[in-house]
Amino acid sequence: MWQFPVSDQVPQISGNRQACGNSFDKQQRTFIQMRTVLKVVDNSGAKKVMCIQALKGKKGARLGDTIIASVKEAMPNGKVKKGKVVYGVVVRAAMQRGRCDGSEVKFDDNAVVLVDKQGQPIGTRVFGPVPHELRQKKHVKILTLAEHIA
Amino acid sequence: MWATLRSRYLHLSAKTLPSSSLTNGSWKLGFSGLNQTFSSSTVERRSNELLSLQEVEKVLSDVRADDVAVVPVGNQCDWADFMVIATGRSQWHVKNIAQALIYKVKQKQKGAKRMVLPSVQGQETGKWIVIDSGRVIVHALDEKARAYYNLENLWTAKPAQKEPVEELTKVFVKVRRINNSKKAAQGSD
């Protein structure tokens, strides 16, 4: 299926951390935990998955972490079917993630790329922007399959 | 602490930061050596840090990898300059290619106080091993994985795909009609 390579995602990279005072109008985004529904952005066949376990972290998964998820919605002829338990790598998260130069990165939605247990991506292409953090988290394979890197 | 600094150096040496705010945050710790290499860094110097293209080609021909393809991606992505894709005949062969490259890096850095090793992903399975050495990234696949992922198609077809996006942005620009009428402007409703 040919996907139009226009991404309406604009990752927000903020220069400095805002003070707590003016965050009443903004939602406080948190981790990806059990029951979080994420979008699937590769062509493996699944459309939406629900997280059932964040592999690292007591509070939940963040950008670049691996999760275990259950496929809730899938395309009719794809490599994964509905109800399958899969591993996934979080490539976009609404929660901001700090970079080592002091800036922060956050996206508008939560998105995941399905991988198998050894870390090989199940799909062959990744759509939408992906952040640089994947390189340090040893997910260079997903970076090479991605179409746009934030 | 050295391990994290080493990984950060690898990470930062590969990409160019959009904001040149290198002096704030963690770099103020006084590691002037790293800052010096950064200020005088050129693209060629970075790729010679761990593995250069000629060395990679030589190692791959020594190991007798099939179908070595070098794709220059410097104009498409800013985090790598060259992608080398090689095929192994079996899973053991793919692992051997990865081991040979790491051995070459170790040989190059023999006698240094701290060895910086390239990061290897996918080592347990022999299906797709990625060796990330700064600007040069080596992919070692077996034949099935190469046909499945089709990496050359992705990287050589990429600049062509960028064109439609620019045309789309022009389409949504609103063009106002030129108003040359001598009538007085109507009040707003």
Side-chain angles (χ1 to χ4, degrees):
Chain A
M1 171 180 131
W2 182 71
Q3 287 245 6
F4 204 98
V6 170
S7 60
D8 49 352
Q9 294 279 339
V10 176
Q12 287 113 37
I13 304 180
S14 70
N16 41 10
R17 202 176 271 276
Q18 288 176 351
C20 263
N22 58 346
S23 47
F24 287 119
D25 49 344
K26 288 206 171 78
Q27 269 182 303
Q28 174 73 355
R29 305 290 180 158
T30 51
F31 301 84
I32 292 171
Q33 47 190 332
M34 206 190 291
R35 303 285 285 181
T36 305
V37 174
L38 300 109
K39 206 162 75 162
V40 175
V41 288
D42 57 3
N43 55 357
S44 58
K47 285 283 152 199
K48 292 236 187 296
V49 295
M50 179 183 286
C51 172
I52 53 183
Q53 182 73 289
L55 282 178
K56 276 218 166 147
K58 204 158 91 170
K59 294 186 224 171
R62 311 172 73 175
L63 192 56
D65 290 340
T66 321
I67 61 169
I68 306 183
S70 152
V71 178
K72 289 293 179 190
E73 195 184 306
M75 301 264 283
N77 40 354
K79 291 168 201 122
V80 294
K81 300 262 175 283
K82 182 175 154 186
K84 186 158 179 237
V85 172
V86 288
Y87 284 72
V89 170
V90 179
V91 296
R92 297 205 283 272
M95 179 161 133
Q96 66 273 9
R97 176 121 201 180
R99 291 196 161 164
C100 51
D101 61 351
S103 62
E104 289 178 340
V105 157
K106 66 178 174 186
F107 294 87
D108 280 335
D109 65 345
N110 300 314
V112 77
V113 167
L114 302 187
V115 290
D116 67 359
K117 214 162 173 183
Q118 278 82 29
Q120 302 268 81
I122 299 179
T124 59
R125 299 286 182 263
V126 172
F127 308 112
V130 291
H132 274 293
E133 271 79 2
L134 296 180
R135 190 172 192 179
Q136 218 168 8
K137 295 268 181 177
K138 314 267 193 156
H139 295 307
V140 177
K141 295 184 187 178
I142 300 176
L143 276 182
T144 59
L145 298 176
E147 59 168 19
H148 176 53
I149 300 187
Chain B
M1 188 182 92
W2 286 112
T4 55
L5 274 172
R6 199 187 309 157
S7 63
R8 271 195 199 158
Y9 173 72
L10 246 176
H11 173 60
L12 274 173
S13 68
K15 70 167 184 178
T16 54
L17 287 172
S19 62
S20 57
S21 56
L22 286 171
T23 53
N24 61 357
S26 56
W27 295 104
K28 260 197 183 143
L29 294 171
F31 287 94
S32 52
L34 292 171
N35 280 341
Q36 268 172 18
T37 54
F38 230 107
S39 57
S40 63
S41 72
T42 56
V43 168
E44 292 82 28
R45 267 198 66 186
R46 283 283 83 85
S47 71
N48 285 335
E49 288 296 318
L50 284 175
L51 273 177
S52 73
L53 200 56
Q54 291 83 19
E55 287 171 353
V56 168
E57 284 177 353
K58 187 167 172 308
V59 169
L60 287 177
S61 63
D62 281 342
V63 169
R64 280 181 295 202
D66 309 323
D67 203 7
V68 178
V70 179
V71 183
V73 295
N75 49 349
Q76 293 164 24
C77 67
D78 51 349
W79 53 283
D81 275 340
F82 289 102
M83 292 239 179
V84 184
I85 311 174
T87 312
R89 280 182 287 274
S90 68
Q91 295 196 0
W92 189 89
H93 192 202
V94 170
K95 288 187 201 174
N96 212 20
I97 295 174
Q99 291 292 343
L101 284 165
I102 297 177
Y103 184 63
K104 177 83 194 161
V105 173
K106 281 191 188 167
Q107 264 188 330
K108 223 177 123 182
Q109 294 187 5
K110 209 165 188 176
K113 251 170 36 177
R114 271 192 335 269
M115 275 214 275
V116 185
L117 285 176
S119 74
V120 183
Q121 290 139 44
Q123 183 66 38
E124 313 79 49
T125 70
K127 295 218 179 84
W128 183 6
I129 301 187
V130 176
I131 304 206
D132 181 7
S133 57
R135 306 299 292 188
V136 175
I137 301 183
V138 186
H139 299 270
L141 313 142
D142 63 352
E143 282 116 12
K144 236 174 59 170
R146 190 156 185 162
Y148 181 66
Y149 287 111
N150 210 355
L151 291 171
E152 296 100 329
N153 211 11
L154 181 62
W155 286 103
T156 46
K158 250 193 117 170
Q161 269 180 5
K162 295 267 184 194
E163 305 279 334
V165 184
E166 267 108 26
E167 281 171 353
L168 236 210
T169 50
K170 280 194 209 117
V171 161
F172 289 114
V173 166
K174 186 170 176 178
V175 178
R176 282 218 187 126
R177 253 183 353 178
I178 301 172
N179 188 8
N180 286 331
S181 72
K182 305 283 192 299
K183 256 188 181 176
Q186 307 263 338
S188 61
D189 299 322

